[in-house]
Amino acid sequence: MKYLLAMYLNPEVMANLSEQDMEAVLTGHQDFIRTIRESGEMISTQALGAVADSTVVRVRSGLPAVTDGPFVESKEFLAGYYLVECASKDRAVELAAMIPDAAIEGLGIEVREVVFFADAESEVPMA
């Protein structure tokens, strides 16, 4: 089963971390990547750019309406993810708990089952 381990970031929380704590987070991610590669559970991981640089596109009456910034006002935003394949949701939760952000007050990891998956070479299913 595939799971998305979504990492949500709060800029205020991150700004208040010491240099030592930030280094521990970065090292923790390196260790986590190594762990899930060695276990064969890693599919991919991505870190996203700053939410202030995002753009939202909505099509209204057939025309795109483009606005800058996030869709909603929020203290937290999606900062990146790990896509893993593991035996169960319990294992996905266990993996999420290994991500260093999960141990920081004010941050969290969302675990969601992937119900459809296609890579660049997969055919798109017809409805």
Side-chain angles (χ1 to χ4, degrees):
M1 297 168 66
K2 291 177 179 62
Y3 289 90
L4 183 74
L5 310 180
M7 297 173 286
Y8 288 87
L9 184 113
N10 181 324
E12 289 179 27
V13 170
M14 298 305 286
N16 289 322
L17 292 180
S18 69
E19 208 172 303
Q20 181 180 358
D21 288 340
M22 278 300 297
E23 183 62 33
V25 168
L26 295 175
T27 301
H29 278 281
Q30 292 170 348
D31 293 343
F32 180 69
I33 290 169
R34 189 175 309 105
T35 297
I36 61 176
R37 276 187 177 150
E38 289 173 358
S39 70
E41 295 169 305
M42 181 172 171
I43 296 172
S44 68
T45 184
Q46 299 290 318
L48 304 176
V51 73
D53 296 330
S54 68
T55 300
V56 177
V57 179
R58 296 176 185 84
V59 177
R60 301 294 182 262
S61 301
L63 298 171
V66 179
T67 56
D68 292 334
F71 177 70
V72 295
E73 291 293 322
S74 177
K75 290 185 178 184
E76 294 181 341
F77 60 88
L78 181 64
Y81 66 86
Y82 290 97
L83 184 60
V84 298
E85 186 159 11
C86 52
S88 67
K89 185 173 183 178
D90 288 342
R91 175 61 179 159
V93 169
E94 184 180 327
L95 292 175
M98 293 179 195
I99 298 172
D101 307 41
I104 297 172
E105 185 70 34
L107 303 183
I109 310 300
E110 180 181 6
V111 176
R112 294 187 60 186
E113 183 177 359
V114 175
V115 296
F116 172 79
F117 177 82
D119 59 21
E121 297 176 15
S122 297
E123 287 191 34
V124 177
M126 302 304 284

